[in-house]
Amino acid sequence: MTTPTGQRMRQTLACTAAANAYQKQFGIDLKRRVVDEGEPFAIVQADTPHEIFHVMDIPIITNQWWSAYISAKQLSGRYFEVMAEHGYPENSCKYCSLGLACTLANDPKTAPWGGLPTPTVLVARLTCDCIQHVFGQWAEAMGTEFFAMEAPAWEHKDPRWFAHSNRDWDEIYQPDRIALMVSEMRDLITLLEKRTGRRFDEAKLHHLMERINEQEGYIWEANQALAKARPCPVSIGEQMSNTMIPQWHRGSDWAVNHARRFRDEVLDRIAQGQGAADDERIRLMWIGAGVWHDPGFYQALEERMGAVFVWSMYMPFAGPQYIRELKDRPMEALASRICSMNEVLHLPPWMNGWMESEAERCGLDAAVVLLPPDNRLSQSGTRLTALSLEQAGIPVLMIDADMVDAKNWDHDRMVTLVGNFLTEKGLA
Amino acid sequence: MIASVGTDLPLQVLRATGRYAGPLTWDIDRAFPLAGQWLESKFATWAFSILEDWAQGRFDALDAVVFTRSDDNAQRLYYYVCELRRRGLLRGPEPILFDVGFIGRATSAARTVASVRALASRFGVSDAAIEAELVRADAASVPAPAPAAGPACLLAGTPPPDERVSAMIAAAGFQPHGDTLEQLWARECPGVAVGTGDPCAAIGHRLHEWQPGPRGFFNRGAAVVQAARAVSAKAAVLWFVEEDEALVWHLPAQRRALAEAGIPTLALSRRSWRADDGLDAEITAFLKEVAA
């Protein structure tokens, strides 16, 4: 993202262009609402209950989305310098702090949208050591409030959580943890109602949750078919776009319809025997955030070795972590979706239990793991997951690189590294 | 016997069991061949040492180890230990995670109180035993010792593993003031009310307010100046290690606050927790200049 490599992602689905076009228009509309019309809005982390804001029709800017937007404007390098100029060490977590850097730069001439106006609130779950400090300082710099949410201890450790989380979410995520998050969400709603004058309606949340179930059901259905299909019908780049863009708008008419369209296109390609690559011989798993600065990386070994990245977390996550039986308790169902969203991706036994199962379900031959050097949260759980996978017969390659900082990324060197690994393991 | 890992723990409850052995310790000046297979590079060095010792069977005599959730290293290490035990790669004591909340809302205070009760119940400690421990601690509390002679130097930032950094300050002719991690982990939550009839609630509410660890919500710029003034510091060393992902976010504010207070400061980041990267020479040069 810092310095795009120029290697582009191939697109095979018509819906991918539609998703990208929608997201571009969404950015324009969001700017109009927030900057031009001065609507109240919030800055939130990805693993917070966006549904509350959707129900109240309060625009949100997701920190991760804003970081990607900044990077797409080629500003991340400048903002890393700003952080250094303000005295922050260079190894500070880059994934979370680009938005703070943009605010600290205080340069409306170059900032995206001229910089953000003051939000009503910033919201984050405290899932790592840095986030409360970053969001606390960001809120202070913007002259507003930080609403933190706890990431409580999780004692019920079920390595096969994913097999029954849709239904048994009370048990899996622990009733006391769910109750805590519901209480926190009610405090957040009170704050939002007071500050914005907008009302929260639980009946609306119930409807939204049903629509989200429908949306995630399409994505999950497509993923289950994709896992069984040979060859893999869609690249992981297109899996990410068509899962994550609707995810930012989850439950909206557009998102539900788009998920259905994506499923239909995936099923259609499977029916026609079409693959993401021409000659699929090796099926690979990608563990970690996407390498946003080099989307072409994932397709680089297809022609030479028939090595296809089939799996990344984004699309299959829709099934176990989003779909919820509502049980007439939409707040609790929502809390169960959010209260462990980060933990299941970064802590044992949930992370390794799920990924080992996924490797088997999708018939994967090897895994490549991103190991960002400066971020404990992003690194977390990777070594034990590698151990699980290797014990299951899946060779693992760990790559030291950052998902948002291209400084230590060399496209050709990384492609060669993966190629050599596959050769050494006798897969190519 | 029971041991602990981290700050923000209800040590009064652990002491009331009659089986508390104190915090786990570390030896960081060695290699960690076993822990290095399981922990990623951004874990604190003490986490490597503790996991290495655990894997070597050095904690086998313990029944349980209580980890704090107030420190990201400690809470992640808890999950890793649980998983390694599940897989049969570790044996030894039962790991327990103490859930402490710091957010300034009633929900977090209630969570902390519930956690204290759950811990007491887990170890079968009665309210009467905890109350007796609170009374004993209250009677035993002594005022802080008078500062030693000589110019004072505040040591702040990442808590060092032991007295090695303080020794460097002392060798330069200054009186060091700053907690080691060992001291922080051993410190009992002060000021818990006695005679309330509900000692678990009293401890929980006080823990929720106390916040000595990396997750505390308070103005750390003002706090460092207050700490410096409390010992009439003539200089300050702000020292942060490579693996620090929490306190280091306050380096700019603390540096600014100390400058505004007129306290000469040596600010260092991305350093080795072993303090074996030329720190002694830098401290000596800095304090020599301050003394001149």
Side-chain angles (χ1 to χ4, degrees), chain B residues 82-105:
Chain B
C82 290
E83 175 64 1
L84 290 165
R85 287 174 97 241
R86 184 179 77 87
R87 299 169 74 99
L89 295 168
L90 286 189
R91 53 182 199 280
E94 180 193 8
I96 295 168
L97 187 56
F98 178 75
D99 205 6
V100 57
F102 293 128
I103 298 169
R105 293 196 301 270

Side-chain angles (χ1 to χ4, degrees), chain A residues 83 86-93 97 100 126-134 137 146-155 157 159 174 176-177 180 183-184 187 342 346-350 352-353 356 371-377 379-384 387-388 391 398, chain B residues 35-44 69-73 75-76 78-84 86-87 89 96-103 105-108 111 122 208 214-217 219-220 240-253 255-256 269-270:
Chain A
M83 293 300 279
H86 278 76
Y88 296 96
E90 279 188 14
N91 66 334
S92 302
C93 176
S97 59
L100 168 64
L126 306 185
T127 51
C128 64
D129 257 357
C130 81
I131 197 66
Q132 75 185 72
H133 305 289
V134 172
Q137 291 181 31
F146 169 38
F147 187 94
M149 304 181 92
E150 299 281 3
W154 194 3
E155 291 187 271
K157 300 179 194 70
Q174 276 180 218
D176 61 313
R177 300 176 75 249
L180 173 61
S183 299
E184 291 184 314
D187 285 346
N342 188 282
H346 293 291
L347 285 174
W350 304 282
N352 49 310
E356 185 183 332
L371 204 59
D374 295 331
N375 188 315
R376 190 184 313 123
L377 170 61
Q379 293 181 345
S380 183
T382 53
R383 286 195 185 279
L384 289 179
L387 186 66
S388 291
Q391 286 182 348
M398 314 278 268
Chain B
Q37 297 173 50
W38 304 318
L39 294 179
E40 292 81 17
S41 63
K42 281 290 273 186
F43 268 94
R69 188 177 67 82
S70 75
D71 177 307
D72 190 61
N73 286 285
Q75 66 108 18
R76 282 185 203 284
Y78 158 80
Y79 291 108
Y80 280 50
V81 168
C82 290
E83 175 64 1
L84 290 165
R86 184 179 77 87
R87 299 169 74 99
L89 295 168
I96 295 168
L97 187 56
F98 178 75
D99 205 6
V100 57
F102 293 128
I103 298 169
R105 293 196 301 270
T107 48
S108 292
R111 180 82 182 174
R122 190 166 200 155
H208 176 249
R215 292 280 183 94
F217 286 91
N219 182 336
R220 290 175 192 270
F240 297 91
V241 302
E242 175 71 26
E243 297 81 14
D244 193 321
E245 293 191 340
L247 301 172
V248 74
W249 284 98
H250 299 275
L251 167 58
R255 198 174 186 173
R256 198 167 48 243
S269 62
R270 306 194 65 180

Side-chain angles (χ1 to χ4, degrees), chain A residues 32-332:
Chain A
R32 174 183 51 74
R33 291 181 68 180
V34 166
V35 179
D36 305 338
E37 296 173 2
E39 269 197 63
F41 76 104
I43 295 174
V44 301
Q45 278 285 82
D47 64 335
T48 55
H50 294 189
E51 290 82 349
I52 300 290
F53 297 91
H54 294 334
V55 166
M56 298 179 77
D57 193 29
I58 297 171
I60 51 174
I61 291 179
T62 309
N63 185 31
Q64 287 82 353
W65 177 80
W66 184 239
S67 294
Y69 194 81
I70 287 170
S71 298
K73 300 288 179 192
Q74 309 283 305
L75 285 164
S76 49
R78 167 66 194 129
Y79 288 149
F80 293 151
E81 287 170 11
V82 167
M83 293 300 279
E85 288 161 12
H86 278 76
Y88 296 96
E90 279 188 14
N91 66 334
S92 302
C93 176
K94 297 177 177 69
Y95 203 37
C96 304
S97 59
L98 263 182
L100 168 64
C102 178
T103 298
L104 292 177
N106 193 22
D107 183 6
K109 282 182 191 160
T110 57
W113 301 1
L116 292 175
T118 302
T120 300
V121 67
L122 285 85
V123 184
R125 285 186 72 228
L126 306 185
T127 51
C128 64
D129 257 357
C130 81
I131 197 66
Q132 75 185 72
H133 305 289
V134 172
F135 265 56
Q137 291 181 31
W138 196 2
E140 191 182 348
M142 297 188 97
T144 190
E145 184 174 346
F146 169 38
F147 187 94
M149 304 181 92
E150 299 281 3
W154 194 3
E155 291 187 271
H156 181 81
K157 300 179 194 70
D158 181 353
R160 291 192 57 78
W161 61 276
F162 49 87
H164 56 130
S165 50
N166 299 153
R167 187 186 62 248
D168 301 330
W169 44 262
D170 278 302
E171 175 200 347
I172 289 172
Y173 301 101
Q174 276 180 218
D176 61 313
R177 300 176 75 249
I178 291 170
L180 173 61
M181 171 141 269
V182 169
S183 299
E184 291 184 314
M185 290 194 301
R186 293 203 188 282
D187 285 346
L188 176 61
I189 288 166
T190 301
L191 180 150
L192 292 172
E193 287 185 334
K194 199 172 157 189
R195 298 280 168 80
T196 68
R198 298 182 188 191
R199 312 304 299 173
F200 178 77
D201 179 345
E202 202 154 319
K204 272 190 188 172
L205 175 67
H206 196 286
H207 177 67
L208 184 74
M209 292 292 284
E210 286 176 333
R211 296 286 281 164
I212 293 171
N213 277 344
E214 184 183 349
Q215 174 185 333
E216 308 299 344
Y218 294 133
I219 303 283
W220 183 226
E221 186 185 343
N223 189 262
Q224 287 176 297
L226 181 149
K228 290 178 190 157
R230 303 291 186 279
C232 176
V234 182
S235 70
I236 62 167
E238 287 190 278
Q239 291 177 33
M240 289 178 195
S241 301
N242 287 293
T243 301
M244 288 313 297
I245 293 175
Q247 210 67 279
W248 299 131
H249 312 283
R250 53 187 180 258
S252 72
D253 288 344
W254 178 83
V256 176
N257 291 335
H258 186 86
R260 186 190 301 116
R261 180 180 173 186
F262 173 52
R263 177 205 61 182
D264 292 345
E265 288 192 37
V266 170
L267 295 182
D268 189 48
R269 286 183 65 81
I270 292 171
Q272 293 182 36
Q274 293 175 314
D278 295 333
D279 179 22
E280 177 180 302
R281 280 170 281 154
I282 306 169
R283 292 165 67 81
L284 299 175
M285 180 177 216
W286 176 258
I287 296 177
V291 182
W292 309 122
H293 46 74
D294 187 10
F297 164 75
Y298 297 110
Q299 290 165 189
L301 287 167
E302 288 176 1
E303 267 187 40
R304 202 195 317 168
M305 307 178 106
V308 180
F309 279 98
V310 169
W311 191 96
S312 83
M313 63 183 168
Y314 297 99
M315 189 181 178
F317 203 47
Q321 193 57 26
Y322 281 85
I323 297 171
R324 291 289 179 262
E325 277 186 21
L326 296 185
K327 306 178 187 181
D328 274 333
R329 293 189 292 145
M331 287 289 279
E332 284 77 6

